[in-house]
Amino acid sequence: MTTTGNYIAAIDQGTTSSRCIIFGADGRIVSVDQQEHSQIFPQPGWVEHDGAEIWTRVQSVIHGALDKAGLTKADIRAIGITNQRETTLLWDRHTGEPVHNALVWQDTRTEALCRELGRNVGQDRFRRETGLPLASYFAGPKIRWLLDNVQGLRERAEAGDILFGTMDTWVIWNLTGGPDGGVHVTDVTNASRTMLMNLHTLEWDEKIAESMGVPLTVLPEIRSSAEVYGHAVGELAGVPVASALGDQQAALFGQTCFSEGEAKSTYGTGTFLLLNTGERVVNSYHGLLTTVGYRIGKERPVYALEGSIAVTGSLVQWLRDQLGIISTAAEIETLASTVEDNGGAYIVPAFSGLFAPYWRSDARGVIAGLTRYVTKGHLARAVLEATAWQTREVVDAMQKDSGVELTALKVDGGMTSNNLLMQNIADVLDAPVERPYVAETTALGAAYAAGLAVGFWPDVETLRANWHRAAEWTPRMDQETRDREYRNWLKAVERTMGWVDEDDAPAQS
Ligand SMILES: Nc1ncnc2c1ncn2[C@@H]1O[C@H](COP(=O)(O)OP(=O)(O)O)[C@@H](O)[C@H]1O
Ligand SMILES: O=P(O)(O)OC[C@H](O)CO
């Protein structure tokens, strides 16, 4: 079935909310609807989402976005999906009911399991085949945890009654009919975050899955990021579901980083910097991930190096919600602007250990350099600087791994509305920072991929013409200050390491 609509609908199923954004042919936003879902924290370090609630929110935002634009399914040419990655759900294929809450990417409950896998199978084996270090961040260990901890689940999975999906898979399965014929698929970018896909063949690696204790029966079919997987039922009945990309890869696509050497950084709950490495699978020796950037239909896959930072925008939330120092995220800029500098204080937000470039789950957060002189303003500045220095560390690692010198950084995400922070990033990188006119690059990337799959846009060159710079920040800091402050930052990072001992009670880890 083909449709003739003039718009593409993108569904962005994120960590804190789900959005549906409708785009026109010029890549401009026509309407947006957004709804948050519950964040469930059953124990320290555990983070869950309710899969059924997420599906309800997705249906509601589809309705909302159509309604606000005054459009119907006849106007929508294709649907694109993008999603928080790694978040893991298992459900009953006959009833469509989740067997447990989804384990969210930030959840650290599989730390001990990862240590055990490292001892029994070896770190290098996973890194070589999947491009990923053994860490609680990824989906494979989360599936294993569920199979081991939900009573009777492994037997049901082995009998073929249980399906696994990251949020792309869950949304597509439901959107295309659920228990009544829903397609069970994922795309190469999402599959590359499971620790179960072989990065070279782009297929499930049977041996790795066996070592992880995950039966192949639960796994979806791996498809490209831009092709028609099936057609929607419900409000968008008959519209092709034509793309899926993990949200960070979608932002790379939406920022039109189609050439080798182009990079973007997305500043949201966490921050994720991706560098397009073309057809090269670049191994990282400096703490980055090797991942799939995207694959359009039957074209050759494009790979990426990724620096994943777990805590950036969520540190601002912490200042707001746990400490009450600010009442809105935007207020941090006003508070930080009341002082000239950080007053000697550095905050390293190793709340769930440290991700790139360290991958140390035994790290915990510190505030270093405190004296009586330090005020709320200095702490606000230190919070923002933590994002800038973490970016610098990832950029340094990327230059070492890829040999690519960053000439400019394209940015997007909620934190990019903070001018002080964007200036600080340009200063510590000693490179310009650029923000595009359409800041919703994640949804835009999913829309672009879906539009390419159905011939709504002819090629990626056409998409490049839609990228327009809305703001730019150029470096102002002198080299001596930059070097001195970076040394201080690195000293503070050192002090986070080794805080959690292997035999610490789970409540502390
Ligand atoms: N003006 C601001 N300054 C600093 N951080 C901000 C600002 N506005 C929003 N944020 C942070 O950005 C994050 C939201 O960005 P968003 O891109 O919507 O995130 P996500 O997609 O991860 O949910 C929140 O963590 C919030 O604390
Ligand atoms: O939903 P976001 O924007 O917080 O992104 C989460 C990442 O995909 C986690 O890997």
Side-chain angles (χ1 to χ4, degrees), residues 41-47 106-113 115 136 145 350-354 360-365 498-509:
F41 304 109
Q43 290 188 31
W46 292 28
V47 188
Q106 300 145 320
D107 189 294
T108 55
R109 80 185 68 181
T110 56
E111 264 172 32
L113 173 62
R115 276 198 300 271
S136 58
W145 189 93
F351 292 163
S352 1
L354 283 171
R360 288 283 298 259
S361 50
D362 63 345
R364 285 298 177 269
W499 182 260
V500 181
D501 292 323
E502 266 201 34
D503 55 358
D504 273 355
Q508 288 178 290
S509 59

Side-chain angles (χ1 to χ4, degrees), residues 15-16 19 267-270 313-314 316-317 329-330 332 384 413-415 417-418:
T15 309
T16 50
R19 276 182 272 235
Y267 291 90
T269 312
S314 52
V316 177
Q317 288 168 353
I332 193 170
L384 295 179
M415 293 185 94
S417 59
N418 189 313

Side-chain angles (χ1 to χ4, degrees), residues 65 74 80 124 131 137 141 144-145 156 197 204 208 225 230 299 322 340 344 347 373 416 443:
D124 289 351
Y137 177 27
R144 161 78 177 269
W145 189 93
R156 289 167 68 195
M197 187 186 79
W204 299 122
I208 293 275
S225 320
E299 287 178 19
Q322 258 82 357
E340 288 290 305
I347 303 185
Y373 174 74
T416 61

Side-chain angles (χ1 to χ4, degrees), residues 14-15 83-86 105 137 193 247-248 269 272:
T15 309
N83 56 290
Q84 53 168 326
R85 306 165 304 168
E86 299 96 13
W105 58 277
Y137 177 27
R193 319 296 294 195
D247 54 10
Q248 302 308 322
T269 312
F272 302 86

